[in-house]
Amino acid sequence: MNYEIIEQIKAANKEIKPDLVIKNGKIVNVFTLEIEEEDLAIHNGFIVGIGSYEGEKTVDAKGKYIVPGLIDGHVHIESSMVPPSHFAHVVVPHGVTTVVTDPHEIANVAGVEGIQFMLDDSEGSILDTLFMLPSCVPATPFENSGAELSAEDLAPFYEHPRVIGLAEVMDYPSVSNAEPGMIQKLTDARTRHRVIDGHGAGLDAHSMNVYGSAGITTDHESTQMEEAKERLRKGLYVIIREGSGAKDLRSLIPLVNAGNARRFLFCTDDKHLDELKENGSIDDNVRLAVSQGLDPILAIQMATLNASECYGLKTKGAVAPGYQADLLFIKNLEEFQVEEVYKNGKLVAKEGEMLSEAALIKAPPSALMSSVNLTCFTKEMLSMKMEKGEKSYAIKLKPNSLVTEKITVEPSVIKGEFQPEGDVDLLKMAVIERHHNTGNVGLGIIQGLGFTKGAIALTVAHDSHNLVTAGLNDEDMLVAIQEIERINGGIVLVKDGEVLASITLNIAGLMSSGTGEKTYSELKKLDKSLTELGFNGDFNPFSALSFMCLPVIPALKLTDLGYFDAVKGTHIAFKVNEEIE
C-alpha cells in the first residue's frame, strides 16, 4: 500500500490540511497559457490542489506570479568552472530547479572516473541534476583525448536513477555508417526507452533522416532559422542555446509561434560562472526571448513544460496537481526577475541569494587532480617555418558562434618564421596534447580573437580538452604554457613575460576545487586583465578560443594533430598547397 499517495489524495480532497497553502498568487498555467488566481496547496513536496484551501502554513504571494521551476535542457556543468555542488548554488537563485547535464567534458579527460565524480558531487543537491551519458568520447578520431568510452563502459551507469539518456551524438559519420560501437550505444539507450540527444552542427536536411531513424530526438546546434525548420519538419525538438560561446537565441526565436512552440526548449550548453551569476541561466533565455517579441507565457512554457516533456520528466515543468512544488515568485513576467524560489515546497532562495550554504565538494579521485601531463616544453616547439610570400590557411573566428571560416592569408614572415600581427589580428595558435605526454603540438593561425599584446592559455579546449594557447609572441605563449602546467590546469593571461591573471582549474583542468566566490573573483580579475592584452570585443574570448579546437563544427579547427577541415573531414597542412606527410 502506497501511503504517500493516500496522504496526497487526502490533502487534495481536504480531508487533511496540506503542509503549505500559497494565497493571493497569479498561477501561470503552462498547459492553457492562462493566469489563474486561486490558492495553491502543497503536501509532501508536491502540488495537491488549485482552488480554495487552508493549510498548516500559509504564504501570501502578494499578487506575484507563480511560475514552474525552470529546466535547462542541455548543460555542461564543467563549463561553469565549478563542480555540481557549487553550480547548484549559482543557478537555483535564478529559478533553475532542474538541469539535464552531459558530463562529456570531464569524461574526455578522465573517462568513467570523471562521470562518477559528477554523479557523486551532485548527490543530495538542492538542484535536480539529471544526466545524459557521453556518447562520443573521444568526440572524433581526429585528435587525442584523455579517455575512450565504449558502450560497455557506459551501460552500468543506466542503473543510476538520475541517468536519463544518451547525450549529444556528435559523431555523425559513425551513425550514418552504422558503425558497431555507435550502434550499440544507440541500442542500449533505445532498449531502455531513454532519450537520445543530437548534435547536428552543419548537418543538412537529409542527415536529419538518419538522425531520426537512429532514434535521436533533439538538436541544440541550429544557428539559423532554416536549420531549425528542417529539424522541426523531421520531428526533432529544437533546443535554443544561449551560452558564453554560442548565442543563437536572437537568430532562432522569430521562428517560434503558437503553432510550433511545443517543439522548442531552452539551454545554456556552456556558460561561465561570471555570466551565470551576473546575467542568469535559463531566466536570461526567457528575458531575451520576451525582449525579442515572444509572448512571456509562451517563453515560460518553453523553459518548463516543453523541456519536461522532451525528457520524460513527468512530475516537473508545471504548476498543477501531481507535479513537484518547484515554484518561482515573479513580480513582472516581461522583466522576469526571480524573487523567490521554492524547491519541493520549501523556500530555498530569495532575492538572488541562497538561504543555505553550498555543499562541500566531494573529494575528486587523484587522477582528476593531476591531469596536465606535458613533455619538457620548449619555445622551439612553437616554431612555424615559412618563407616570405607563402600563403597559409587561418581560422577566422565569428564572435558568439562556434562556427568558423577557413580563410587564406599571406602572413608576415621574419627570419623564416611566421610573425603574428596585432594590427591585422593574426595570432599564432597552438594545441598541445596534455593527457598522455605524447609531445603532439598542432600549430595554426587565428584571426578574430582580438588581442594586440601578450598571450592566453587554457586547458578548457572542447572537446578533448588539450592545452590551447594563442598569442603575439612565442615567449609569452611559453610562459603561459608553463604557468598552466604549474597550477595543474586553468586559464592564464601573460604580457611581457609576466602573468597578469590566472584561475586554477585543478579538477581535470576544467573546474576549481576552491569556493564559488573565489572562482568568481579570479574570473573577474581575468576579465579585467583582458584590456591589458588590447581586447575590447563583444564576446567571451576564453569560451571562443576553447571552441576553436572542436573538429565536429565547421569549417576549420585546430587539434593537437594540426588543422582539421570539418567540411572535408580531414587534416590539412597549415600552408596552402602543402600536403601533410
Side-chain angles (χ1 to χ4, degrees), residues 263-276:
R263 303 299 291 183
F264 287 94
L265 54 145
F266 292 125
C267 80
T268 58
D269 199 0
D270 299 276
K271 201 164 188 178
H272 291 179
L273 177 64
D274 51 350
E275 292 187 60
L276 286 169

Side-chain angles (χ1 to χ4, degrees), residues 16 43 45 68 131 153 171 227 261 274 284 358 366 377 421 437 456 555:
I16 60 173
H43 195 71
F131 284 75
D153 295 321
D171 188 357
E227 288 179 310
D274 51 350
D284 188 41
S366 58
F377 202 88
E421 298 176 89
N437 203 12
I456 179 176

Side-chain angles (χ1 to χ4, degrees), residues 22 64 70 140 238 315 324 374 387 394 449 456 467 497 548:
I22 301 173
K64 294 172 187 173
L70 308 180
T140 72
V238 173
T315 62
Q324 286 176 254
L374 303 181
E387 299 294 331
L449 196 56
I456 179 176
L467 194 162
M548 296 302 101

Side-chain angles (χ1 to χ4, degrees), residues 65 109 137 163 169 230 360 376 414 431 436 438 440 495 511 537 562:
Y65 293 93
V109 176
V137 176
V163 171
V169 177
E230 290 298 344
L360 294 175
C376 184
I414 298 177
V431 177
H436 306 295
T438 63
N440 290 348
K495 178 186 172 187
M511 296 172 288

Side-chain angles (χ1 to χ4, degrees), residues 398-412:
K398 294 181 178 180
N400 299 314
S401 176
L402 310 188
V403 176
T404 65
E405 288 183 34
K406 174 186 174 184
I407 62 173
T408 300
V409 296
E410 187 178 317
S412 175

Side-chain angles (χ1 to χ4, degrees), residues 175-196:
V175 178
S176 182
N177 296 327
E179 293 185 1
M182 177 57 72
I183 295 302
Q184 189 60 55
K185 291 175 185 177
L186 295 169
T187 300
D188 287 348
R190 292 183 67 165
T191 55
R192 292 172 171 85
H193 306 289
R194 306 300 176 91
V195 178
I196 305 175

Side-chain angles (χ1 to χ4, degrees), residues 457-501:
L458 53 158
T459 46
V460 181
H462 299 279
D463 275 338
S464 290
H465 297 294
N466 287 304
L467 194 162
V468 59
T469 179
L472 274 297
N473 63 81
D474 292 353
E475 291 77 15
D476 282 349
M477 292 173 73
L478 180 61
V479 171
I481 293 164
Q482 292 171 338
E483 180 66 5
I484 285 282
E485 187 174 21
R486 187 187 74 80
I487 64 177
N488 200 23
I491 305 174
V492 174
L493 296 179
V494 173
K495 178 186 172 187
D496 298 330
E498 298 291 330
V499 175
L500 297 176

